Amino acid sequence: MNILIMGPAGSGKGTMSERIIDAYDIPHISTGDMLRENVRNNTELGQEAKSYMEAGKLVPDEVINAMVEKRLLEPDCQKGYLLDGFPRTLVQAQAFSEIAEKIGKPIETVIALEVPMEVLEKRITGRRVCSECGAIYHIEGHPTKVEGVCDVCGGAVVQRKDDTIEQLKVRMEEYENSTKPVIDYYGEKGLVHTIDASRNREIVFAEVQEALGEVA
Ligand code: AMP
């Protein structure tokens, strides 16, 4: 199954992605993760992408398109894929339609996770993360047993620098401006399942499965 998942920061996209790839045995193809890995390994692609990423800008389309096309041709994508972070703009979506047709792997369904701004605010500003092992907590929904100390490894649990209301507003604005047109593009093709992701993750995943069931 060929799936695209979309949703703003704090929508639970990471959690849902993990569950989808487990349930459907397909690879999670996150362009952000791929680019970070290339930067870490100092590849030619990483060197090209680094300055854009550090400036918070989008990496040029031709670089991203070629990277995704190459990745989708790898053997683990035979059963399908879960795309995350791409296509991120209307231009990328249009280019990807041509690529996907060429390689015979069109997007079959789009999961769009929606969360009202006030819920996102609560999720993001209450989020805490272990500086040692990366475990994620929430001061209300999932607090550490001892304040400021990770339950898993005993490391210091802190707030991420970008988990503020100001940063959330910037990220939301970017999401609205560049990503909403992508949802509309696939909406016109009748592929979008919009899911209210402000609810409990079990309920949200059940709805995701229902949406994917219609495609399988
Ligand atoms: P993310 O982890 O998805 O927020 O991506 C981190 C950074 O990688 C972004 O700020 C961009 O610089 C770059 N990036 C990821 N996906 C794309 C994309 N589809 N098009 C252009 N740049 C991207």
Side-chain angles (χ1 to χ4, degrees):
M1 196 177 326
N2 306 329
I3 310 164
L4 166 63
I5 187 162
M6 306 189 80
S11 63
K13 190 157 59 93
T15 311
M16 285 308 131
S17 295
E18 270 176 34
R19 299 193 63 167
I20 293 170
I21 60 168
D22 267 0
Y24 296 89
D25 195 23
I26 51 176
H28 182 201
I29 300 178
S30 151
T31 45
D33 286 351
M34 288 173 78
L35 290 168
R36 277 185 290 275
E37 198 185 324
N38 275 282
V39 170
R40 260 199 313 278
N41 296 334
N42 203 23
T43 65
E44 206 174 305
L45 179 83
Q47 286 170 10
E48 194 172 355
K50 195 172 176 203
S51 58
Y52 294 97
M53 295 172 74
E54 282 175 352
K57 288 194 187 141
L58 291 182
V59 174
D61 289 340
E62 57 278 13
V63 176
I64 293 284
N65 294 346
M67 179 179 86
V68 174
E69 178 173 351
K70 187 161 165 256
R71 178 69 186 87
L72 292 183
L73 289 170
E74 286 177 26
D76 63 340
C77 295
Q78 248 157 24
K79 271 195 197 168
Y81 57 75
L82 175 66
L83 267 185
D84 175 0
F86 175 93
R88 214 178 183 102
T89 62
L90 186 56
V91 174
Q92 286 184 0
Q94 288 161 339
F96 186 64
S97 288
E98 281 180 29
I99 294 169
E101 196 177 325
K102 186 174 79 183
I103 62 175
K105 293 177 187 293
I107 288 174
E108 291 165 295
T109 194
V110 178
I111 300 291
L113 301 176
E114 275 199 349
V115 181
M117 188 65 183
E118 57 276 17
V119 177
L120 286 180
E121 263 181 38
K122 259 191 143 177
R123 280 188 185 174
I124 294 277
T125 56
R127 181 155 71 179
R128 298 291 182 271
V129 52
C130 175
S131 50
E132 301 283 329
C133 74
I136 294 171
Y137 298 93
H138 190 278
I139 50 170
E140 285 171 18
H142 177 35
T144 51
K145 292 196 183 94
V146 178
E147 202 185 322
V149 181
C150 179
D151 294 354
V152 181
C153 76
V157 171
V158 298
Q159 182 168 24
R160 259 172 52 175
K161 280 207 180 71
D162 56 351
D163 277 352
T164 60
I165 292 192
E166 293 73 31
Q167 279 285 346
L168 173 66
K169 284 194 176 134
V170 173
R171 279 187 269 169
M172 272 307 273
E173 213 165 285
E174 198 229 287
Y175 185 77
E176 293 282 332
N177 290 341
S178 50
T179 312
K180 275 279 167 73
V182 177
I183 298 180
D184 293 344
Y185 175 80
Y186 290 111
E188 281 164 23
K189 296 176 189 287
L191 299 179
V192 177
H193 293 268
T194 302
I195 294 176
D196 170 6
S198 63
R199 298 162 302 164
N200 170 295
R201 64 178 67 178
E202 299 305 325
I203 299 175
V204 176
F205 186 59
E207 260 185 42
V208 168
Q209 280 186 302
E210 213 177 287
L212 297 179
E214 285 171 22
V215 183

